[in-house]
Structures are given as structure tokens and as C-alpha cells.
Amino acid sequence: MTKPAPLDRELDCTHCPLGPNTAYGPVLRKSPGAVARARKGIARFRSNQTILRSGEIALSCYTIVSGWAFSCIVLPDGRRQILSFFLPGDTISLFSLHQPYRPALTAVKALTPLTTCVFDVADMRELLFGAQGQRAAFDTIAAERIADMTRQLTDIGLRRATGRVAQFLLAIEDRLRRAGLSEGGAFDFPPRQGHIGDALGLTHVHVNRTLVDLRRRGVIDFSKGRMRVIDFTALRRIAEEE
Amino acid sequence: MTKPAPLDRELDCTHCPLGPNTAYGPVLRKSPGAVARARKGIARFRSNQTILRSGEIALSCYTIVSGWAFSCIVLPDGRRQILSFFLPGDTISLFSLHQPYRPALTAVKALTPLTTCVFDVADMRELLFGAQGQRAAFDTIAAERIADMTRQLTDIGLRRATGRVAQFLLAIEDRLRRAGLSEGGAFDFPPRQGHIGDALGLTHVHVNRTLVDLRRRGVIDFSKGRMRVIDFTALRRIAEEE
DNA sequence: CGGAAGTTTGAATTCGATCAAGATGGGTGG
DNA sequence: CCACCCATCTTGATCGAATTCAAACTTCCG
């Protein structure tokens, strides 16, 4: 496990704006103190820093306060598949709660500078599985992850470049909006075109052509880390049909 | 839910050769009677029959005694993504145990004539989650499904046709061998080339060219529902490199 | 025996990859 | 504050893998 940066004590779980959207949201509601007590502190990661290496055993999990991360598999020849992005409110290493002390299948890296709340996997398990009814809430999140993977598989297997990119943008916008981080379709968008390509099975060059094309068509606009969906209807149509 | 064919009473869970490999294997070992009592009967499905429609709520789950099935998503225009194949010993609708009474994300269809043992989702949940320690065994199966999807996503996103097909054949052979259904690399192989294509994001025409090529190279052989891996080493190399 | 479904092969096309080079822009050190 | 540098974005040209369209052949089943 990569050594996180030194921990601070700040931000109060009880009043955390992300709280209700997290995996332990229900726990937080019933006994806010429990979460605050379980939290080991705050860890920061540099952009591009590895949080968890493939094959390592996750002893901590991290709820993102700000920034993006992603999980990926890297083949021996360097090709990389990004499997999911983690946004504020998401918990990294959720799988390790399900299957603690199992070697990670995927690596996790910070996409931007990252601020996270750190929990021991053991503590989090107790928190989630100990209390009555929390298990179900957690299962819901696991089921949603499976649903995400299903959709991603369908996108990559069935759709061509434009459709994949459109689906991707819609999915990200939706998640960000739920987290209160998208207004009027505009949001901070830190991933490089290479990240998008690695997530969608395309080259960064082709991602660029696709994005530029969508921009020319007036469906989206983007520049320096900002993305804006101008025409949701058109984007949804493109996502469905192409 | 599609009406299954009339139920019989036959085959004894206690001595079922598939038992140990099923999701409820541990339960079976500790209290064989419990499984036999929970089983509602045996259901048969015709080849190509729909077992569960997308959006429906699964009230039963089915452990395959013989035959293959698959889960898929069908787009409005008819394109189809196969997400997983179910082989003898596999349980269909495992996800519905995790998340009971949730509309199914994917449809499930019989690929061949199918014989299955039927259980109520509610009964199966009690069986699996009630007993101490079973929960973990079940989680393991769920984790393996996630691992499968991760690998599948990586294959489709990163590999070209030959590599995808090779990975697919190795994965299927491995699963069948564990179930005692592959000997010396030879096994019954009912899927049509169209099914393989729909699973791997390729057209059936290209799957054909790829398979024929592997056959010409002496890596595999196949005809009328039988597949044989002749050169595992070569197939593994192809699976890794291409 | 006839027909339907699946397999196989060929030819033309297209989507996206690859290779290459220039433009842009933020960050750093002088 | 400016100059330079590096990463990223962008665009062009060419290439190649897989699709599409089409047709013949094979197998299986009623």
C-alpha cells in the first residue's frame, strides 16, 4: 500500500455535505458520531499518485472529499484499461469491504490532487455490516457498481466512438449532478483525453476527433478542465443511436 | 417471469455431482437436507427460451443441471451484448439474491435445452444468509463475477479479435474443466459463432475468420458443437499478446 | 427431401489506429 | 516578467482491422 501523505484532523463528518451520498450515508444519519470516530484522518494524494497497486491488499478505504481518481488494469505491454472513475463522495476500495484481505484486481490512481477521508477496512466493515439494515444500503451500492460495469461493457462492445463518448459524458454529468457538482450541464472535468480513451477503448487521437466533432455540432463545449453539455437531447440521441 | 415447463421431482441434491461447486455448496455440506427441502423442483427450458426478461423481477433462481444459458442486453435496434454465459453448476439470477425484488438489468435466455433446479429467491436468501459463514461464501461468488466482468471489459477494450477469442476459449475451458466437463482440452461447445461475437463485440463473420485461423494454425479444432484446445501454450500466448 | 439455421469465403468499405507534426497553454526557472 | 519547456490538444495523411454485403456450402431437423 502506498504511503499516503500525513494525516490531518479537519472537516467534520457530521456536517459533511457529501455524507448522505456516501456508502455509509445511512449510518451517518443514524449515528453520526460513529463515522467520525471511525475515520482515521484525512489523506491527500498528488495528481497521478498510486493509491493502491494491483495485487496489493487494501487495508484502508478512502472516501473522496475532492478530486477524481480512477481504477485501471495495465497490461505488460503498457496498454491500460480504465475501469471506473471515482468522484467526490465515492469510496475507493469498496470491493475490499466485500472481500477483505484479497489482493486488488485493479490499481487505483489519483487523477487530480485528491483529498480523502481514510477508514480502516475492518472498521468500515463493522460500521456497515454491524448495524441492522446498513448491509442492504451497502449492497445497493455494490449492485449499482455492477450495473455500471454492465453498461460500460455494453457501450464498449456495441457502440461506436461517438456513442461511447456521449454515453460517458452523460454518465459523468449525472453522477456529478447528484453530488451537486454540475450546474446547468457545466462541470469541472479534469480527465485528459487519454483517460477517456483508456476508459472507452479508443485512442486519445480519436477521442479528440469525436469531442471536437460534438463541439462543432453544438452539442457540448469544453476547454481547460471545464465541460458543458449544451444540448442534452441531442447528446442523448447520439448516445442511443451511434 | 416466464412460466417454466412443468416441474418434476428427481435428482437428489444430497448426491448431486454439481453440489460442491454451486453457490450453496457450503450449505449443502453442512446440512444437505436444507437444500433439498428448499428446492421447488426441476424446470426445463427449450433452447432459446427466455428465462427472465429485462426489467422483470426475479422471484426464482435456477441452478443449471445441464445445458448453457446466457445473460444479455438488447438495444432497441436489435444489437445484442452478451454479458455472461451460465454453465452447469452456475446459478442464474444470483444478483437477485443480493438485490431481491429489483428489476433485472439483463435478460437471461437458454442457449441450449436446459435442465435446472428451481429455488425461491426468498428461500435461497435465507439459506445463504441465515447460516453462519455462508454469507462469505456467497460474497466470494459475487466477487468472482465482478472479477469476470473486469476481465471481460479489459479484453473488449484492449485486445484485438484474436486475443479476445483466445481469452474467451481459455476462460470457458477453465470453467468447464472445474465442473468436470472438459477432458484433455475437449468439451461440448454449443454457442453459435453469433453468440461469441455478441459476447466479444465482434461480428459472427469475423469470429468465424478468427476461429478458422486458429484452427489452421493448429491451436484449436472444432466441429458440430465440440471444441478442442490442441495447444494450450500457443493459445495462452495468443491470448496475452494479441 | 426440402428448408432453415449456421458456417465459410470473397470483395468492397469504413471506422478507428497509427504515425507525424504543429499549435496551445500552463508552469518553472532565470 | 519573460523565455522556455513539457504535456496536452489538434489536425493531416496513411494504414489496417473489422464490418458490411453477398453468396455458396454444410448440417441438421421436420
Side-chain angles (χ1 to χ4, degrees):
Chain A
M1 175 88 47
T2 305
K3 261 277 191 294
L7 309 178
D8 320 347
R9 275 273 169 200
E10 50 181 74
L11 291 174
D12 179 3
C13 297
T14 320
H15 306 105
C16 175
L18 296 167
N21 298 321
T22 60
Y24 44 84
V27 179
L28 200 55
R29 222 165 291 129
K30 284 188 189 162
S31 43
V35 174
R37 273 193 303 281
R39 193 180 67 175
K40 291 304 174 199
I42 293 189
R44 296 199 161 80
F45 296 92
R46 295 186 310 278
S47 175
N48 214 35
Q49 189 175 352
T50 297
I51 297 169
L52 178 66
R53 231 170 285 277
S54 162
E56 282 185 351
I57 290 169
L59 298 174
S60 306
C61 55
Y62 308 86
T63 299
I64 298 183
V65 178
S66 70
W68 287 37
F70 63 92
S71 67
C72 64
I73 283 185
V74 182
L75 298 190
D77 63 9
R79 283 176 295 175
R80 179 175 73 171
Q81 178 68 41
I82 290 183
L83 293 143
S84 56
F85 290 95
F86 299 106
L87 313 182
D90 291 344
T91 297
I92 293 170
S93 282
L94 259 192
F95 75 90
S96 67
L97 301 176
H98 233 135
Q99 286 286 295
Y101 315 124
R102 229 167 236 272
L105 192 61
T106 63
V108 180
K109 301 188 74 176
L111 176 65
T112 64
L114 209 59
T115 304
T116 64
C117 292
V118 187
F119 300 87
D120 271 7
V121 165
D123 293 349
M124 184 61 100
R125 277 173 62 84
E126 195 174 328
L127 206 60
L128 285 172
F129 303 165
Q132 174 81 358
Q134 301 318 325
R135 173 79 210 197
F138 174 69
D139 279 352
T140 301
I141 288 193
E144 273 164 15
R145 174 117 321 161
I146 289 183
D148 278 347
M149 291 187 80
T150 302
R151 272 186 289 272
Q152 209 180 338
L153 206 44
T154 307
D155 289 343
I156 297 185
L158 249 33
R159 298 185 202 284
R160 33 193 85 277
T162 326
R164 292 186 208 177
V165 170
Q167 290 281 164
F168 174 75
L169 292 175
L170 286 170
I172 291 291
E173 196 281 333
D174 189 61
R175 288 171 63 190
L176 288 173
R177 186 159 30 72
R178 285 169 202 272
L181 296 172
S182 167
E183 282 189 52
F187 48 92
D188 285 335
F189 190 72
R192 315 279 113 214
Q193 296 178 356
H195 292 115
I196 306 176
D198 288 346
L200 301 181
L202 301 167
T203 59
H204 72 106
V205 176
H206 202 67
V207 169
N208 177 261
R209 293 193 219 275
T210 307
L211 286 174
V212 168
D213 180 54
L214 288 175
R215 179 162 57 189
R216 255 201 298 268
R217 293 208 243 165
V219 180
I220 62 172
D221 196 19
F222 59 96
S223 68
K224 23 178 172 156
R226 291 284 294 177
M227 174 68 66
R228 191 158 74 88
V229 179
I230 297 171
D231 187 342
F232 273 97
T233 311
L235 192 56
R236 280 199 203 91
R237 186 171 34 69
I238 291 166
E240 286 306 318
E241 294 179 9
E242 297 186 55
Chain B
M1 174 90 45
T2 306
K3 260 278 192 296
L7 307 180
D8 322 345
R9 274 275 170 199
E10 51 180 74
L11 291 176
D12 178 2
C13 296
T14 320
H15 306 104
C16 175
L18 295 169
N21 297 321
T22 60
Y24 45 84
V27 179
L28 200 53
R29 221 164 292 131
K30 284 188 190 162
S31 44
V35 174
R37 274 194 303 280
R39 192 180 67 175
K40 290 304 173 200
I42 292 190
R44 296 200 162 78
F45 297 92
R46 295 186 311 279
S47 176
N48 214 35
Q49 189 175 349
T50 297
I51 298 168
L52 178 66
R53 232 171 285 277
S54 161
E56 282 185 351
I57 289 169
L59 297 174
S60 306
C61 54
Y62 308 87
T63 299
I64 298 184
V65 178
S66 69
W68 287 36
F70 63 92
S71 65
C72 64
I73 283 186
V74 182
L75 298 190
D77 63 9
R79 283 177 296 175
R80 177 175 75 171
Q81 177 68 41
I82 291 184
L83 293 143
S84 56
F85 291 95
F86 299 105
L87 312 182
D90 291 344
T91 297
I92 293 169
S93 281
L94 260 191
F95 76 91
S96 68
L97 301 175
H98 233 136
Q99 287 284 295
Y101 315 124
R102 225 166 239 272
L105 192 61
T106 63
V108 180
K109 302 189 73 175
L111 176 66
T112 66
L114 209 58
T115 303
T116 64
C117 292
V118 187
F119 300 86
D120 272 7
V121 165
D123 294 348
M124 185 61 101
R125 278 173 60 84
E126 196 173 326
L127 207 60
L128 286 172
F129 304 163
Q132 174 81 359
Q134 302 318 324
R135 173 79 211 197
F138 174 67
D139 279 352
T140 300
I141 289 193
E144 273 165 15
R145 173 116 323 158
I146 289 184
D148 277 347
M149 293 187 79
T150 302
R151 271 185 290 270
Q152 210 179 336
L153 205 44
T154 307
D155 287 343
I156 297 186
L158 248 32
R159 298 185 201 282
R160 34 193 81 277
T162 326
R164 291 185 210 178
V165 171
Q167 289 281 163
F168 174 74
L169 291 175
L170 286 170
I172 291 292
E173 197 280 333
D174 189 61
R175 287 171 62 189
L176 287 173
R177 185 157 32 74
R178 286 169 201 273
L181 296 172
S182 168
E183 281 188 51
F187 47 92
D188 285 335
F189 189 74
R192 312 282 115 211
Q193 296 177 357
H195 291 114
I196 306 177
D198 287 348
L200 302 181
L202 301 167
T203 60
H204 73 104
V205 176
H206 202 66
V207 169
N208 178 261
R209 294 193 219 275
T210 307
L211 287 174
V212 167
D213 180 54
L214 288 175
R215 177 161 60 189
R216 256 202 296 268
R217 294 208 243 166
V219 180
I220 62 172
D221 195 19
F222 60 96
S223 69
K224 21 177 170 156
R226 291 284 294 176
M227 174 68 65
R228 190 159 74 88
V229 179
I230 297 171
D231 187 342
F232 273 96
T233 311
L235 192 56
R236 280 198 204 93
R237 186 170 35 70
I238 290 166
E240 287 305 319
E241 293 179 9
E242 297 185 56

